[in-house]
Amino acid sequence: MKIALIQESMVWEDCTQNKKNFLNHLNTIEAGTDLVVLPEMFTSGFTMNPEKVFITMEDDYIEQLKKCCKENDFALSGSIVVKEEEKYFNRMFFIQPTGEVSFYDKRHLFSLAGEEKVYSPGNDRLIVNYRGWSICPLVCYDLRFPVFSRNTTSEYDLLIYVASWPDKRIYAWDTLLKARAIENMSYVVGVNRSGSDENDNVYSGHSQVVDYMGQYLIEPQVGEKIMYCQIDKVLQDKARNGLAFLKDADQFTIAKKSQ
C-alpha cells in the first residue's frame, strides 16, 4: 500500500482557507497512492471554540472530499470538528474511493487544554477494511493510552494517529509511536501538523512511518511537506507468524466513557 502523509500548517480557525489549502494539496498527490492522511483538526487548528468551526457530515466539503477520493482513486483520513445532535466531536473520518465514509470520535480528550469541556468523547474503536488491510484510526492524545490501541487478536494491520502535537512534547510523540508499533506488531503512521497557533504552540511536525519492529520507514520530518511510503502486509504477516508475540497478549475489555 502506498501512503501519502500531508504535514501542513493551518490558518487559525479559518475553515475557508484551510479547506481550500488541503484540497489543493490533495490534487497534487502522486498517481498510484492508496491512502492519504491529514493532521488533526486540519480545517481549523486545535481549537476549543467548536461553535466557530464545526461542520456536519452532510456538509458540502465532505462531498468535495468524497469526489476527490473517487477521481484520484485513493482513500482519505483526517480529523475535523463535527456537530451532531447538539454535541461537538473531534471526529476522524475515513473516506474510501467508493464514497463510503466511516468515522471514529476521539475517546481520550486532552484535559490539559480543556478539550473534555467542549467536546464529547467517543467510545468505540473503529477498524476499517480497505484494499486487504485492516486499519485502526486514532487521534493525538489517544497515543498516550496503549490499552485502547492494543492489538490483542491481530485485529488490525495498520495503526494511524493524526495529531496537533507541540514541539515541547515532541520526544514523547516520537517515542510512543515506536512503542505502539513494537507492542502491536503493526505498521504505524503518525501525521502531525506544522506551524504555530494562537495559543503560542509551535509544531515542527515529526510525521513519520514506523514498521512492525519499530524501525523507521520515514524518519520524523520537519516543516510543510508531503511524504510517501510503501508498506507491505506480506512482510508484516511473516514477522507476526514467526515471532507470534500477539498470541501471548492479555485479554481484557474496556469500559465505556461517560457521555
Side-chain angles (χ1 to χ4, degrees):
M1 176 184 285
K2 183 177 180 179
I3 304 175
L5 293 66
I6 300 184
Q7 181 169 281
E8 179 63 89
S9 60
M10 295 127 194
V11 183
W12 183 249
E13 295 183 349
D14 188 338
C15 292
T16 300
Q17 188 61 49
N18 291 320
K19 289 175 180 178
K20 180 181 178 180
N21 290 346
F22 279 97
L23 271 178
N24 288 340
H25 285 314
L26 291 175
N27 288 322
T28 70
I29 295 298
E30 292 178 0
T33 299
D34 298 292
L35 172 62
V36 182
V37 185
L38 310 179
E40 179 183 24
M41 291 192 186
F42 67 88
T43 60
S44 61
F46 187 61
T47 176
M48 297 303 108
N49 299 308
E51 70 282 354
K52 293 183 179 180
V53 301
F54 76 88
I55 67 173
T56 69
M57 295 306 290
E58 293 73 39
D59 193 274
D60 181 62
Y61 189 60
I62 299 295
E63 294 305 312
Q64 292 179 55
L65 295 178
K66 289 165 68 173
K67 180 181 178 183
C68 184
C69 290
K70 181 178 180 180
E71 290 177 348
N72 294 283
D73 194 32
F74 56 56
L76 178 66
S77 192
S79 127
I80 53 177
V81 176
V82 170
K83 185 177 183 180
E84 192 169 89
E85 296 180 352
E86 301 309 311
K87 294 181 179 180
Y88 298 107
F89 297 92
N90 185 344
R91 177 165 292 179
M92 187 171 178
F93 61 78
F94 192 100
I95 302 174
Q96 303 206 22
T98 59
E100 179 183 352
V101 181
S102 307
F103 63 83
Y104 157 73
D105 293 327
K106 185 179 181 182
R107 174 181 170 93
H108 300 97
L109 301 176
F110 189 47
S111 57
L112 188 62
E115 189 178 11
E116 84 289 356
K117 296 177 182 178
V118 289
Y119 294 94
S120 296
N123 266 307
D124 298 324
R125 195 168 75 175
L126 173 68
I127 305 294
V128 178
N129 296 310
Y130 175 63
R131 294 186 175 172
W133 291 77
S134 296
I135 302 171
C136 180
L138 296 173
V139 182
C140 202
Y141 197 40
D142 288 329
L143 181 59
R144 289 188 178 272
F145 303 94
V147 172
F148 190 58
S149 64
R150 195 72 172 108
N151 200 17
T152 55
T153 58
S154 298
E155 192 176 5
Y156 60 78
D157 314 302
L158 170 61
L159 190 57
I160 300 174
Y161 288 95
V162 300
S164 293
W165 201 290
D167 276 8
K168 55 191 171 185
R169 293 185 293 276
I170 204 66
Y171 178 77
W173 165 258
D174 293 340
T175 303
L176 293 173
L177 287 171
K178 279 202 166 192
R180 297 296 86 82
I182 293 167
E183 70 197 10
N184 295 302
M185 289 207 77
S186 175
Y187 288 107
V188 173
V189 171
V191 177
N192 191 28
R193 64 161 294 176
S194 60
S196 60
D197 65 22
E198 294 298 306
N199 296 313
D200 297 322
N201 291 308
V202 176
Y203 308 88
S204 62
H206 276 228
S207 297
Q208 58 195 263
V209 180
V210 187
D211 77 5
Y212 43 88
M213 298 300 289
Q215 298 174 315
Y216 283 128
L217 299 181
I218 295 180
E219 294 188 357
Q221 300 288 304
V222 175
E224 298 181 358
K225 58 182 63 181
I226 300 176
M227 297 151 272
Y228 294 90
C229 185
Q230 289 274 2
I231 59 175
D232 189 328
K233 189 172 180 294
V234 173
L235 292 178
Q236 180 169 269
D237 288 344
K238 182 178 179 181
R240 285 181 174 181
N241 292 333
L243 296 172
F245 297 147
L246 295 180
K247 74 177 181 62
D248 296 325
D250 298 312
Q251 301 297 316
F252 53 84
T253 57
I254 299 176
K256 294 285 187 180
K257 283 270 190 182
S258 59
Q259 296 289 327

